[in-house]
């Protein structure tokens, strides 16, 4: 999976602890919600200590437990990825999120009273998280995946509120303002979009399924917001629910289908992949999915990882799953053809830039993953291969694959991508240098911008025509 990337596209892109928290968790959250209604962010323990009421220690323990639970939820949902800029205070915002309509800057969600959410009540926090409406009444853009967070329970929302208002250090820095082109800078228009596409009903358990399955469904559909990246969207950027988790382009990276099917995916490989970014079928995480694993999934409890894999493994099969991916036989690593000048430009570039780690045969070496039969080569798009060559895979950790954006031209990257796709994956999907150039620049611009401009011009012409007709009628009557 790949999180909404939120960089991705995702519109454009925090999971729950245990769905079955039991009566104790519900009792634990109730006093916090009641206190928040009367005293903003004051915890029950703080109120108890201040008034000398008995049970102060028990109240403090309950408040501390809820804050820790909220921290887990925030980590599980990868909130840090979009709300913490490099070198800045945690959750102070300012991360530039790429969207097809322009850059969207994440907000400060620390308890700062001047720049963050320090003045938010629990109700206002819930409305922002689950309905996309800020305390001042203005709408958030769906780069904040409130369309998924709407599935959150009241208890989990209260725990997140406790963490962000009491467990996070306030920071008064103000992020840059989002400045999308007209008419998308009119946030009120999101009210119409929400009316059309937002399902604001919390998750309802399926009684025909196990507790574990329901926990996985709650995680995947809610704070983990898997659908944000892995479900295709219509021209208004709303998810196509009939193609749930069937794979989608994020503008640059391609988020593949994560419903059951081919390529050796099962509960165990899914669980291993979410924990480590690697699986026994050769899958290796990259791009936004690698970030999600690094900052979120790898830190989840094992029970939650298992629950996610149980749920995803039980979904209806991908429409193309019945067609088994081809098994590529061993590839000759002979240098004879190269010495005779009989290899393609793509193969020559591959041998010069990639074979030292992946071998001429594509089978990998020194523990590096094999390219032959790699699951990424069975996608209906070659974008991820080109993006891996451009940006690398996990280079910031001092390991993995470096990026070649500064060494290779768009044409050369396209040549290597197509050679790898056809030779080691027997896949006809390809890219050209124009597509690589678009990937290098962050993806194609959304056609929505052009359509909106055409619509505005058309509307203006209609208004002008109506005014001319009225003036002519009045002139005749005169």
């Amino acid at each position: 999976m790949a999180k909404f990337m939120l960089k991705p596209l995702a519109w454009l892109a925090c999971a729950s602890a245990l769905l079955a928290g039991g009566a104790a968790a519900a009792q634990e959250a109730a006093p916090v919600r009641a206190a928040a209604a009367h005293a903003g962010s004051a915890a029950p323990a703080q109120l108890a200590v201040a008034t000398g009421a008995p049970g102060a220690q028990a109240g403090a323990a309950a408040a501390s437990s809820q804050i820790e639970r909220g921290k887990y939820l925030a980590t599980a949902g990868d909130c840090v990825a979009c709300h913490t800029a490099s070198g800045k205070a945690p959750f102070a915002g300012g991360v530039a999120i790429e969207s097809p309509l322009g850059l969207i800057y994440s907000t400060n969600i620390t308890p700062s009273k001047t720049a963050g959410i320090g003045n938010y009540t629990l109700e206002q926090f819930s409305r922002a998280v689950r309905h996309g409406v800020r305390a001042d009444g203005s709408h958030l853009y769906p780069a904040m995946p409130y369309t998924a967070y709407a599935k959150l329970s009241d208890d989990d929302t209260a725990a997140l509120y406790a963490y962000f208002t009491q467990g996070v250090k306030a920071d008064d820095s103000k992020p840059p303002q989002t400045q999308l082109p007209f008419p998308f800078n009119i946030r009120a228009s999101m009210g119409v979009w929400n009316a059309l596409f937002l399902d604001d009903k919390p998750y309802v358990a399926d009684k025909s399924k196990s507790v574990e399955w329901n926990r996985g469904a709650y995680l995947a559909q809610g704070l983990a917001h898997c659908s944000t990246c892995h479900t295709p969207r219509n021209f208004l950027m709303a998810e196509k629910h009939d193609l749930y988790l069937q794979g989608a382009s994020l503008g640059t990276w391609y988020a593949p289908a994560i419903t059951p099917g081919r390529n050796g995916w099962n509960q165990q490989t899914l669980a291993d992949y979410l924990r480590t970014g690697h699986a026994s079928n050769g899958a290796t995480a990259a791009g936004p999915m690698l970030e999600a694993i690094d900052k979120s999934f790898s830190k989840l409890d094992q029970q939650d990882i298992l629950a996610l894999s149980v749920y995803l493994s039980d979904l209806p099969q991908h429409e193309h799953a019945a067609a088994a991916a081809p098994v590529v036989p061993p590839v000759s690593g002979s240098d004879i053809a190269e010495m005779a000048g009989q290899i393609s430009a793509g193969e020559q570039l591959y041998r010069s830039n990639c074979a030292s780690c992946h071998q001429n045969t594509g089978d990998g070496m020194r523990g590096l993953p094999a390219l032959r039969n790699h699951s990424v080569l069975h996608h209906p798009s070659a974008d991820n291969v080109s993006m891996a060559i451009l940006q690398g895979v996990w280079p910031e950790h001092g390991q993995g694959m470096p990026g070649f954006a500064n060494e290779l031209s768009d044409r050369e990257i396209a040549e290597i991508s197509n050679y790898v796709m056809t030779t080691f994956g027997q896949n006809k999907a390809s890219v050209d240098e124009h597509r690589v150039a678009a990937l290098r620049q962050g993806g194609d611009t959304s056609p929505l911008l052009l359509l909106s401009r055409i619509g505005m011009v058309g509307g203006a012409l209609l208004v002008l025509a109506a005014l001319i007709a009225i003036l002519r009628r009045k002139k005749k009557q005169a």
Side-chain angles (χ1 to χ4, degrees), residues 452-464:
S452 66
R453 297 290 167 79
I454 293 174
M456 287 187 292
V457 171
L461 291 175
L462 287 174
V463 171
L464 181 60

Side-chain angles (χ1 to χ4, degrees), residues 28-29 31-32 41-47 49 55-73 158-164 166-168:
E28 189 176 272
V32 176
S41 62
Q46 294 171 326
L47 296 176
V49 171
Q57 292 183 345
S64 176
S65 176
Q66 190 187 42
I67 291 171
E68 283 301 308
R69 181 162 166 250
K71 181 179 180 179
Y72 175 83
L73 297 176
L160 282 167
Y161 176 74
Y163 171 63
F164 281 114
Q166 300 171 54
V168 173

Side-chain angles (χ1 to χ4, degrees), residues 171-355:
D171 186 274
D172 295 331
S173 59
K174 295 183 178 181
Q177 292 293 312
T178 297
Q179 300 290 340
L180 294 184
F182 181 83
F184 303 104
N185 60 334
I186 303 175
R187 289 180 178 265
S189 63
M190 290 308 306
V192 178
W193 192 91
N194 289 340
L196 290 172
F197 303 116
L198 175 61
D199 177 6
D200 59 3
K201 299 180 181 65
Y203 178 79
V204 176
D206 185 341
K207 296 181 180 179
S208 69
K209 301 292 186 179
S210 67
V211 171
E212 190 173 47
W213 186 98
N214 275 289
R215 184 164 66 232
Y218 177 70
L219 293 169
Q221 295 176 24
L223 282 171
H225 54 279
C226 303
S227 183
T228 301
C229 287
H230 292 273
T231 298
R233 295 172 180 268
N234 62 26
F235 79 99
L236 289 178
M237 308 304 284
E239 295 175 17
K240 297 179 179 179
H241 297 297
D242 58 327
L243 296 176
Y244 179 62
L245 302 182
Q246 297 290 295
S249 173
L250 304 176
T252 51
W253 294 90
Y254 177 80
I258 53 174
T259 51
R262 57 196 189 192
N263 301 336
W265 286 107
N266 53 39
Q267 289 185 20
Q268 188 60 54
T269 51
L270 275 170
D272 292 342
Y273 183 74
L274 291 174
R275 280 195 299 263
T276 67
H278 302 279
S280 59
N281 63 353
T284 307
M289 188 61 207
L290 179 57
E291 180 182 55
I293 290 171
D294 188 30
K295 296 180 179 179
S296 175
F297 289 119
S298 64
K299 304 180 188 304
L300 287 187
D301 291 338
Q302 297 304 308
Q303 296 94 326
D304 282 343
I305 291 294
L306 178 59
L308 279 165
S309 63
V310 166
Y311 168 70
L312 292 173
S313 299
D314 191 52
L315 292 172
Q317 283 196 340
H318 182 270
E319 59 180 355
H320 300 303
V327 177
V328 180
V331 176
S332 172
S334 172
D335 294 325
I336 295 177
E338 180 180 14
M339 293 170 63
Q342 296 175 349
I343 62 175
S344 67
E347 183 174 0
Q348 180 64 65
L349 287 164
Y350 171 84
R351 290 183 173 224
S352 300
N353 295 279
C354 314

Side-chain angles (χ1 to χ4, degrees), residues 112-135:
S112 167
K113 293 184 178 298
T114 58
I117 60 171
N119 295 315
Y120 273 54
T121 64
L122 173 58
E123 181 180 2
Q124 290 171 331
F125 178 83
S126 174
R127 194 175 179 218
V129 169
R130 297 195 282 186
H131 302 280
V133 180
R134 299 190 302 198

Side-chain angles (χ1 to χ4, degrees), residues 89 136 159 188 302 363 426 448 459:
D136 61 5
Q302 297 304 308
D363 289 325
Q426 291 188 359
L448 265 181

